[in-house]
Amino acid sequence: MVKKIMLDILRKRRSIRIYKAKAFEPEELVEQLKEAALRSPTSRNFRPWRFLFITDSAKLEALSRAKISGSSFLRGASLGVVVCADENESDVWIEDCSIASIILQLTGQSLGLGSCWIQIRKRMHSESQTSEDYVKGVLGLPANMKVESIISFGYPDEEKPPIPKAQLEYNKILSTE
Ligand SMILES: Cc1cc2nc3c(=O)[nH]c(=O)nc-3n(C[C@H](O)[C@H](O)[C@H](O)COP(=O)(O)O)c2cc1C
């Protein structure tokens, strides 16, 4: 029988935005997420990323206002991981940060956590301030730091079914030759 551990994780993964008001137990969960992030592959192994693991509720509240819409649920999360990079360390920091972001999400899924990607790069906090500048201000990040995403985590308090296989867009696979 063919093992399909990763496919099972992928089938069950959905964006979860409603969380139980419950701290992580055991605390080791956060350690596992840290290890996963740091094991993410990067172009030429430059590892330009930096991660901020935010559990302080006042900081989560402030970060939940990072975007005009699409980030408010962060205030109900137990953890937010800010994924950023020093742009001087790699020309492909966006790819590296994106890979780390999804690895964090899939690791969270494997640990029974719900998560959602909050896009920061190229998004706006208000009409005049970018989400990135807002996040950098809240966290005191230096000018050379670029912010890709915040990944919210918590114990799921909503259920979403896997997308049925019949709904997958197999027409997007253009060639199998
Ligand atoms: C690059 C990227 C950016 C995203 N940004 C946000 C966001 O800012 N806010 C949000 O609520 N969801 C965000 N999402 C989650 C998507 O809306 C979600 O993955 C998509 O609707 C598919 O739903 P599913 O994850 O449940 O399969 C983002 C996902 C990706 C991959």
Side-chain angles (χ1 to χ4, degrees), residues 13-17 67 69-73 98 102 105 115-120 123 148-150 160-161 163:
R13 187 216 56 80
R14 297 294 314 276
S15 292
I16 298 298
R17 301 180 179 84
K67 294 176 63 165
S69 73
S71 58
S72 59
F73 54 90
S98 300
I102 194 66
Q105 285 201 272
S115 73
C116 189
W117 181 314
I118 297 169
Q119 181 69 22
I120 298 300
R123 296 291 179 263
E148 170 64 26
S149 66
I150 305 175
K160 287 187 178 174
I163 307 294

Side-chain angles (χ1 to χ4, degrees), residues 71-82:
S71 58
S72 59
F73 54 90
L74 184 59
R75 67 173 61 98
S78 302
L79 168 72
V81 182
V82 180

Side-chain angles (χ1 to χ4, degrees), residues 9-127:
I9 291 170
L10 293 172
R11 283 178 183 142
K12 287 184 190 136
R13 187 216 56 80
R14 297 294 314 276
S15 292
I16 298 298
R17 301 180 179 84
I18 306 173
Y19 310 104
K20 292 188 173 137
K22 185 176 148 189
F24 285 165
E25 271 205 42
E27 280 177 28
E28 195 202 326
L29 283 182
V30 176
E31 284 311 309
Q32 296 190 37
L33 291 173
K34 286 179 188 168
E35 180 180 344
L38 297 172
R39 287 190 186 281
S40 304
T42 58
S43 171
R44 291 179 279 174
N45 204 18
F46 281 168
R47 302 180 299 272
W49 22 239
R50 305 288 187 279
F51 304 98
L52 292 93
F53 280 66
I54 310 287
T55 51
D56 178 75
S57 54
K59 279 190 190 161
L60 289 172
E61 212 290 317
L63 292 172
S64 77
R65 285 182 271 115
K67 294 176 63 165
I68 293 169
S69 73
S71 58
S72 59
F73 54 90
L74 184 59
R75 67 173 61 98
S78 302
L79 168 72
V81 182
V82 180
V83 183
C84 49
D86 183 337
E87 64 174 331
N88 301 318
E89 292 183 10
S90 175
D91 57 342
V92 291
W93 63 268
I94 297 170
E95 288 85 344
D96 293 340
C97 283
S98 300
I99 288 165
S101 298
I102 194 66
I103 282 194
L104 277 163
Q105 285 201 272
L106 295 175
T107 304
Q109 176 71 31
S110 76
L111 298 170
L113 302 173
S115 73
C116 189
W117 181 314
I118 297 169
Q119 181 69 22
I120 298 300
R121 194 180 69 85
K122 288 196 173 277
R123 296 291 179 263
M124 297 301 286
H125 163 68
S126 64
E127 272 187 21

